[in-house]
Each structure stands twice: as C-alpha cells, then as structure tokens.
Amino acid sequence: MATRGFTGRRPPEATRDRLPPGQYLTEDFPVLQLGPTPRVDLATWRFTLRDGAKPLKSWSWEAFEALPRTTWQGDIHCVTKWSKFDTAWEGVTVDDILADAGIAAPTEFALAEGYDDYTTNVPAADLLGGRAMVATRYAGAPIPPDHGGPARLLVPHLYFWKSAKWVNGLRFTKKDEAGFWELRGYHMYGDPWREQRFTGD
C-alpha cells in the first residue's frame, strides 16, 4: 500500500523528464500484491469479455495466443513511488481482442478482473487506440507468476495498480465502478503525471 510520507530519492538530471512527480527510478521490478500468488493452469485459463453480467466472448489460452501480437517498450510507474524505465512487453491489444469478438466497446467504462478476485476500473477510452494490452510476455519470456503471469493487463500511462495481474476478463459497465483499491481510497483514474494517487488528489 502506498504511504503519503514516502518521498523517494532525487532523480538524476538525465532521467528527470521521464519521472512523474514524486517518483524515483529503480532497476528492480518490485513485487506487490494483496495475498498469495494464484497458480493458474493454462489448460483451464479463460479470458472473457462481458457487458455487465452478459458474456460476449471467451478465449482459451491457445485461442488467445493465436490472436495478433503486439510489442510495447516504455516506462511504468507504481503508486508506491517507484518507476522502471524501458520495460518490454508482448501481448494482445484490447483493440485486437474486441476486433476478434466482432464488437466495439459496448460502454464507456470497464472493470479488469483477475483470478485473485482483484478488480480495477479503467475508462474504455484508456484501453483503446493501442493504449492497453493483455500482456503474456515480459522481457522476451513468459510473465512470471509473481508479476501477474500468465497474463496481466498493461495500461502503462496510468499508475501500475490499474494493470491488473492474473487478468481473466474485462467487464464493461454502464458507470465508472470503483475496483478494489479505488474502494479503499485510491484515485478513480490514477494519472502519474498529475500525481493522482488518492481520492481528492
């Protein structure tokens, strides 16, 4: 959980323009999660799109891996104030997932849902236009379970709690419904550059 009192290290001049306010650069990839790492069996893994409670389409691991692949390299920023530069991911964009389902986003809002019952809200506009993917590889290898493998949402322009680990679906909602951390005081949007860590920021 983030704490308001932590100030972090002063960024060097060369990296300052890439660090959002209040962040410090790390070479590590810290592991933060609510509880035990779920062990997800690829034989039973499913990713499902829903419009509210109504299922729209579901993919097995094999079918999901056959979708068009996209790579992305860039910086990620955690609400606990670390940032990691030049991370490399591969997966399926939300645009390509919707295209394979033959639909447009049915509402303006979505909840990402995980195998650990975690949820986080993201506006549909922030999932589209190549801005988000369901990633299955990190740094050229399958994503380790501790970092959200076999698949995690990647929404790198928002604080990293929005990039739900162990993701198994997107549920489109008619209103902006708070997810796990949002219900506990985290910001509903979470823009690192505006330092939207908590409600009221």
Side-chain angles (χ1 to χ4, degrees):
M1 178 179 282
T3 56
R4 292 176 185 269
F6 182 70
T7 56
R9 294 166 239 157
R10 191 169 183 172
E13 194 70 38
T15 62
R16 193 166 296 156
D17 289 346
R18 294 172 67 181
L19 279 176
Q23 297 292 111
Y24 71 90
L25 181 63
T26 183
E27 298 298 321
D28 299 326
F29 194 163
V31 174
L32 301 170
Q33 58 202 52
L34 295 173
T37 299
R39 300 296 166 178
V40 182
D41 184 353
L42 294 183
T44 58
W45 183 92
R46 306 291 297 181
F47 182 86
T48 304
L49 290 179
R50 292 183 175 85
D51 182 357
K54 177 186 174 185
L56 300 173
K57 183 161 183 178
S58 187
W59 292 262
S60 67
W61 181 259
E62 219 172 63
F64 194 83
E65 286 282 273
L67 295 177
R69 312 292 295 175
T70 296
T71 59
W72 180 86
Q73 182 167 317
D75 308 338
I76 56 176
H77 311 289
C78 183
V79 73
T80 60
K81 301 196 175 184
W82 59 262
S83 291
K84 185 171 178 61
F85 287 174
D86 301 317
T87 62
W89 303 84
E90 179 184 319
V92 183
T93 65
V94 175
D95 303 271
D96 284 331
I97 293 169
L98 290 170
D100 192 69
I103 60 170
T107 70
E108 294 182 9
F109 305 104
L111 278 170
E113 301 178 313
Y115 273 98
D116 59 343
D117 296 325
Y118 179 81
T119 59
T120 189
N121 66 310
V122 186
D126 289 272
L127 298 172
L128 305 176
R131 304 182 81 193
M133 70 165 66
V134 174
T136 58
R137 297 180 73 80
Y138 172 73
I143 299 174
D146 284 349
H147 286 300
R152 75 176 296 160
L153 187 64
L154 178 69
V155 192
H157 62 283
L158 300 180
Y159 279 125
F160 216 49
W161 93 79
K162 297 290 185 177
S163 295
K165 291 181 173 184
W166 312 296
V167 71
N168 63 6
L170 287 174
R171 176 161 54 91
F172 289 93
T173 58
K174 295 192 183 304
K175 62 180 184 177
D176 196 10
E177 296 183 18
F180 180 88
W181 284 119
E182 294 83 15
L183 286 168
R184 289 157 176 82
Y186 277 35
H187 199 278
M188 285 293 283
Y189 186 65
D191 182 344
W193 294 98
R194 297 168 67 187
E195 210 164 355
Q196 294 175 332
R197 302 178 193 276
F198 302 98
T199 302
D201 287 346

